[in-house]
Amino acid sequence: MKLEDHDLIEVSGGAINGTLINAFARLLDLVIDIGRMIGSSIRRLVN
C-alpha cells in the first residue's frame, strides 16, 4: 500500500514489541541487583 503525504499525517506509531519489554525487564533486574548490593553493604557495616 502506497501512502501519500496527506495520508501519513493519520498514521500513529506501533505497538510494544519484545525488544522494549526485554529492555524494561533488564532495567528492573538491574535495579533489584543494585538494591541487593546496597542492602548487603549496609548489613556488613552494621555487623
Side-chain angles (χ1 to χ4, degrees):
M1 179 174 172
K2 189 168 185 172
L3 298 175
E4 300 295 326
D5 287 339
H6 63 277
D7 295 329
L8 292 174
I9 294 172
E10 298 177 13
V11 174
S12 59
I16 297 175
N17 59 13
T19 305
L20 187 59
I21 293 172
N22 189 23
F24 281 124
R26 291 185 67 187
L27 180 64
L28 182 62
D29 285 341
L30 179 65
V31 170
I32 290 171
D33 287 340
I34 290 172
R36 284 182 185 151
M37 285 188 279
I38 292 172
S40 296
S41 297
I42 292 172
R43 192 174 329 133
R44 285 187 200 125
L45 287 173
V46 170
N47 292 335

